[in-house]
């Protein structure tokens, strides 16, 4: 947990309130360390009150269920989603559940044991813990054949990246795609582009190791953005202007590069979480949004409904289409979260996974 702004993460005993009728207690088996957890730390809480329980990419086993829960039972293996449409708001009822802003979540039930204070949970999950409480609808069953320390990746990074390619951009087969930023989410966009049948998949990054990983996950070309103009290099590698460009860094400069890469009718998807108060200046006319008729959009968690999308990702893992094993570059314990943050910052891992 993060106890206060500016502090390192601390491992402490936690305690639980009784479950609400729609809630479940999950004994976690594994959790990926996502960049958003680091974002919470470096933004001094990301707007949440302290203390904060980190982690939102977890999988585990259901231990107890509330009185009204019928979708899962004790001993079910589940992956926990942080993004579950309510099914009842006007947006859900008009048929756009991926745009729902009233997610189904559990009440705060986890406390810091030493003083009984409720913990705020990152993205209503809190998976850097031996146990957590979530809404039953957040728990998506995992088949026995999928190890939980791989299934956890689906919860955030993989669903976001693959979803950006398939759901946000709806990449057409045969198209030219560029991905700027090849961490876990960017590599998942690469996989999504490959699954969609893209013909050229151009990976752009500053780190040779990440470009090498991108090739392993399906990129056809790699552009080292440290040398020369990445926009011209990506267009040259793809053999022409891109149909889709994904910005998976979260910086104004790379958003502008993505707009420069696409051709007429191209689509730019912003996937990276931008810094608070950031702005971007983009050309409108020559080579810009208006003249090129660019579609500019952003991706929120893969723009998907987990109960439909997670099982599809799991089937793709089982038939070899989606590669998860290769994404786990480091297995760590609950005491190693700060080390995982350092490894993430230095760009030497795809994903660190905490084994609980
Ligand atoms: Zn995440
Ligand atoms: Zn809704």
């Amino acid at each position: 947990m993060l106890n206060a702004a500016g502090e390192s993460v601390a491992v402490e005993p936690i305690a639980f309130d009784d479950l609400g009728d729609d809630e479940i207690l999950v004994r976690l088996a594994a959790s990926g360390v996502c960049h958003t957890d680091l974002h919470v730390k470096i933004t001094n809480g990301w707007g949440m009150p302290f203390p904060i329980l980190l982690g939102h990419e977890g999988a585990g086993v259901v231990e107890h269920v509330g009185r009204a829960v019928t979708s899962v039972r004790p001993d079910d293996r589940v992956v926990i989603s942080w993004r579950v449409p309510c099914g009842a708001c006007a947006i859900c009822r008009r048929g756009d559940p991926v745009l729902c802003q009233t997610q189904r979540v559990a009440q705060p039930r986890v406390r810091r044991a030493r003083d009984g204070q409720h913990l705020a949970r990152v993205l209503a999950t809190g998976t850097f813990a031996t146990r957590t409480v979530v809404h039953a609808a957040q728990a998506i069953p995992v088949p026995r054949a999928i190890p939980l320390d791989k299934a956890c990746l689906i919860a955030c990074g993989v669903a976001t990246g693959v979803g950006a390619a398939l759901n946000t951009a709806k990449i057409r087969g045969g198209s030219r795609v560029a991905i700027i930023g090849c961490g876990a989410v960017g590599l998942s966009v690469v996989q999504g582009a490959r699954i969609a049948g893209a013909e050229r998949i151009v990976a752009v990054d500053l780190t040779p190791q990440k470009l090498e990983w991108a090739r392993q996950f399906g990129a056809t070309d790699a552009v080292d953005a440290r040398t020369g103009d990445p926009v011209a290099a990506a267009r040259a590698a793809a053999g022409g202007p891109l149909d889709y460009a994904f910005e998976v860094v979260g910086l104004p400069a790379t958003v502008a590069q993505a707009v420069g890469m696409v051709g007429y009718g191209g689509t730019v998807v912003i996937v990276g979480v931008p810094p608070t108060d950031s702005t971007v200046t983009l050309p409108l006319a020559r080579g810009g949004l208006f003249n090129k008729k660019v579609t500019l959009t952003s991706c929120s968690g893969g723009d998907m409904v987990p109960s439909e999308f997670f099982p599809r990702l799991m089937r793709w893992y089982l038939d070899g289409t989606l590669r998860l094993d290769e994404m786990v570059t480091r297995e760590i314990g609950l005491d190693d979260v700060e080390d995982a943050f350092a490894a993430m910052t230095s760009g030497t891992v795809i994903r660190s996974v905490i084994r609980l």
Side-chain angles (χ1 to χ4, degrees):
M1 63 184 74
L2 266 178
N3 284 308
E7 288 191 7
S8 297
V9 298
V11 180
E12 293 197 28
I14 50 177
F16 297 93
D17 296 347
D18 291 341
L19 292 175
D21 288 353
D22 295 325
E23 296 170 352
I24 63 173
L25 180 70
V26 178
R27 189 175 72 247
L28 289 150
S31 177
V33 180
C34 174
H35 199 275
T36 302
D37 298 304
L38 176 58
H39 193 75
V40 170
K41 186 189 166 191
I42 61 184
T43 58
N44 291 326
W46 204 23
M48 285 181 285
F50 290 98
I52 299 167
L53 178 55
L54 295 172
H56 60 281
E57 198 176 74
V61 177
V62 177
E63 208 163 65
H64 293 294
V65 302
R67 281 185 302 185
V69 173
T70 55
S71 55
V72 290
R73 290 184 299 195
D75 292 331
D76 279 359
R77 305 162 83 250
V78 295
V79 58
I80 297 168
S81 172
W82 54 265
R83 200 171 185 288
V84 181
C86 75
C89 70
I91 290 166
C92 283
R93 282 184 283 116
R94 81 181 186 203
D96 291 330
V98 300
L99 298 178
C100 177
Q101 292 293 295
T102 47
Q103 314 285 327
R104 277 186 278 183
V105 299
Q107 294 300 308
R109 305 285 185 199
V110 187
R111 295 174 186 268
R112 183 165 64 186
R114 65 177 147 100
D115 59 3
Q117 267 214 64
H118 273 125
L119 288 154
R121 299 145 303 161
V122 172
L123 296 169
T125 49
T127 58
F128 292 177
T130 47
R131 286 172 177 79
T132 197
V133 175
V134 296
H135 192 289
Q138 291 178 266
I140 311 297
V142 179
R144 291 258 157 224
I146 305 182
L148 291 172
D149 58 350
K150 308 300 183 300
C152 67
L153 302 181
I154 286 174
C156 184
V158 170
T160 299
V162 178
L166 300 181
N167 304 328
T168 313
K170 300 183 175 67
I171 293 175
R172 280 186 293 265
S175 47
R176 297 169 174 146
V177 180
I179 296 97
I180 306 172
C182 296
V185 176
L187 293 172
S188 299
V189 180
V190 169
Q191 296 214 65
R194 173 172 49 75
I195 291 167
E199 203 163 284
R200 308 304 302 185
I201 302 173
V202 184
V204 183
D205 204 284
L206 298 165
T207 313
Q209 171 70 79
K210 288 187 178 174
L211 294 172
E212 178 54 36
W213 280 327
R215 286 188 185 276
Q216 291 168 17
F217 284 100
T220 56
D221 304 273
V223 168
D224 186 336
R226 294 172 308 175
T227 57
D229 173 15
V231 175
R235 285 170 160 242
L242 283 299
D243 301 303
Y244 305 89
F246 293 84
E247 196 280 345
V248 202
V249 183
L251 290 176
T254 37
V255 170
Q257 287 170 9
V259 171
M261 286 176 189
V262 297
Y264 189 81
T267 298
V268 172
V269 181
I270 302 169
V271 190
V273 179
T276 312
D277 301 328
S278 53
T279 59
V280 63
T281 302
L282 295 168
L284 278 171
R286 200 160 66 88
L289 296 177
F290 180 83
N291 284 23
K292 290 201 299 190
K293 197 173 167 56
V294 174
T295 298
L296 177 62
T297 185
S298 67
C299 167
S300 172
D303 293 328
M304 47 91 205
V305 175
S307 57
E308 185 278 327
F309 197 52
F310 284 12
R312 193 145 47 107
L313 294 170
M314 292 179 206
R315 289 195 295 277
W316 280 336
Y317 171 72
L318 289 172
D319 73 12
T321 304
L322 179 69
R323 296 165 63 183
L324 298 179
D325 297 5
E326 297 84 348
M327 296 194 72
V328 181
T329 38
R330 204 154 169 263
E331 291 192 353
I332 61 172
L334 200 51
D335 292 315
D336 305 321
V337 170
E338 287 289 350
D339 288 346
F341 285 161
M344 181 183 286
T345 305
S346 68
T348 52
V349 291
I350 302 177
R351 262 294 187 265
S352 298
V353 169
I354 302 171
R355 299 284 296 264
L356 293 152

